[in-house]
């Protein structure tokens, strides 16, 4: 064992991408085990590795962790990205949960049937520009700091920059009415660990394509 966290998932974004983002932002190197067949997935279940028969699976500190929220909370706490006290942690939790609601729409978008893609993309744009991004624009403007909580880099900042870039993959001009978020995006993208993660050849996965969708459907029989 190298001591590095080991991530088991498909070779694509999905629910594991937020884990990759958070580890990378913390400056933590990790290894990946990619599921390519239904048999590999069933073997994990048969071996009792997946508590709820679901991935993502992250092996870290002697644990086999499942459930994305639990994994992310542990990583955030371990690497001091979870606020200085309970109040800051509560704020981070609220922001993360809000962003997660938007990310769920983004995660499901590649699996939309062709006739629903335009409608679903419009829904993502409407939610992003009218419900979620205005919240963070206001937060950043009101407290005038570089980061969402206190004045320290946290899990909430990582989750937000991931969401911004994921929405921009399909709606490039989505930040046109949000100057605070535009500046936030530039700041976050220039942080050394995040800048490294955004470079070609990093563990960051590309936007989902047809091959990724086919692989997921094949493995999990969705």
């Amino acid at each position: 064992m190298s001591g590095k966290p080991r991530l088991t998932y498909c070779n694509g974004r999905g629910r594991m991408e937020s884990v990759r983002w958070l580890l990378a932002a913390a400056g933590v190197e990790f290894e990946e085990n990619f599921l390519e067949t239904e048999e590999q997935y069933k073997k994990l279940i048969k071996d009792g590795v997946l508590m709820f028969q679901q991935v993502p699976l992250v092996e870290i500190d002697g644990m086999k962790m499942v459930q994305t929220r639990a994994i992310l909370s542990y990583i955030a706490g371990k690497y001091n990205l979870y606020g200085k006290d309970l109040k800051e942690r509560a704020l981070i939790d609220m922001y993360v949960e809000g962003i997660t609601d938007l990310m769920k729409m983004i995660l499901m978008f590649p699996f939309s049937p062709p006739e629903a893609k335009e409608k679903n993309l419009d829904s993502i744009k409407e939610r992003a520009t009218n419900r979620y991004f205005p919240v963070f624009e206001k937060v950043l403007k009101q407290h005038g700091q570089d980061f969402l909580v206190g004045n320290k880099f946290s899990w909430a900042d990582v989750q937000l920059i991931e969401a911004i870039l994921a929405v921009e993959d399909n709606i490039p001009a989505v930040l046109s009415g949000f100057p605070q978020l535009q500046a936030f995006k530039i700041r976050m993208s220039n942080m050394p660990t995040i800048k490294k993660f955004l470079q070609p050849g990093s563990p960051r996965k590309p936007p989902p394509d047809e091959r990724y969708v086919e692989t997921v459907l094949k493995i999990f029989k969705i």
Side-chain angles (χ1 to χ4, degrees):
M1 288 292 290
S2 66
K4 296 178 182 177
R6 180 175 171 83
L7 283 51
T8 298
Y9 199 72
C10 301
N11 188 8
R13 290 185 179 178
R15 294 185 182 278
M16 187 64 90
E17 191 70 356
S18 291
V19 178
R20 298 184 187 108
W21 264 94
L22 194 56
L23 286 168
V28 179
E29 294 184 356
F30 53 87
E31 299 174 346
E32 296 201 70
N33 174 43
F34 297 124
L35 296 177
E36 298 176 347
T37 66
E38 184 185 7
E39 288 70 30
Q40 289 174 310
Y41 171 56
K42 285 185 173 180
K43 186 176 187 304
L44 289 175
I45 296 174
K46 183 179 178 181
D47 292 346
V49 176
L50 304 178
M51 184 180 291
F52 299 108
Q53 302 184 17
Q54 295 172 314
V55 289
L57 166 67
V58 174
E59 297 171 73
I60 183 172
D61 294 343
M63 298 184 292
K64 290 180 170 62
M65 295 196 70
V66 295
Q67 298 298 321
T68 311
R69 170 69 198 222
I71 294 166
L72 290 167
S73 296
Y74 182 80
I75 293 168
K78 178 178 174 69
Y79 296 105
N80 199 25
L81 296 170
Y82 213 168
K84 71 177 188 296
D85 55 31
L86 280 175
K87 286 187 176 181
E88 287 197 355
R89 182 171 175 172
L91 278 175
I92 290 169
D93 283 340
M94 286 195 293
Y95 295 157
V96 164
E97 287 294 326
I99 301 165
T100 299
D101 289 343
L102 176 60
M103 287 299 295
K104 286 177 183 175
M105 299 177 70
I106 297 167
L107 289 175
M108 293 307 300
F109 176 69
F111 298 90
S112 305
E115 65 273 14
K117 280 196 178 292
E118 185 174 348
K119 179 183 177 182
N120 290 345
L121 190 60
D122 286 343
S123 294
I124 292 171
K125 182 178 180 180
E126 192 277 330
R127 290 287 182 89
T129 56
N130 293 326
R131 180 179 296 188
Y132 297 108
F133 287 174
V135 170
F136 301 108
E137 180 78 6
K138 183 178 179 181
V139 168
L140 290 166
K141 185 174 183 179
Q142 283 186 340
H143 75 93
Q145 306 288 355
D146 288 347
F147 306 109
L148 288 172
V149 179
N151 192 28
K152 187 181 178 195
F153 185 51
S154 77
W155 173 19
D157 299 302
V158 181
Q159 195 92 338
L160 180 56
I161 184 63
E162 179 194 359
I164 287 171
L165 296 179
V167 175
E168 284 186 334
D169 283 337
N170 292 294
I171 311 167
V174 71
L175 290 187
S176 60
F178 302 98
Q180 296 291 334
L181 288 179
Q182 291 175 35
F184 174 85
K185 173 189 164 184
I186 293 170
R187 286 196 304 274
M188 293 302 106
S189 298
N190 283 311
M191 290 189 65
T193 55
I194 291 180
K195 188 173 184 178
K196 181 180 179 182
F197 189 60
L198 294 176
Q199 298 303 308
S202 84
R204 186 185 182 217
K205 302 298 179 270
D209 57 14
E210 289 185 8
R211 182 179 177 184
Y212 170 74
V213 171
E214 289 173 2
T215 300
V216 170
L217 295 177
K218 177 181 71 175
I219 294 173
F220 305 113
K221 301 298 185 186
I222 298 173

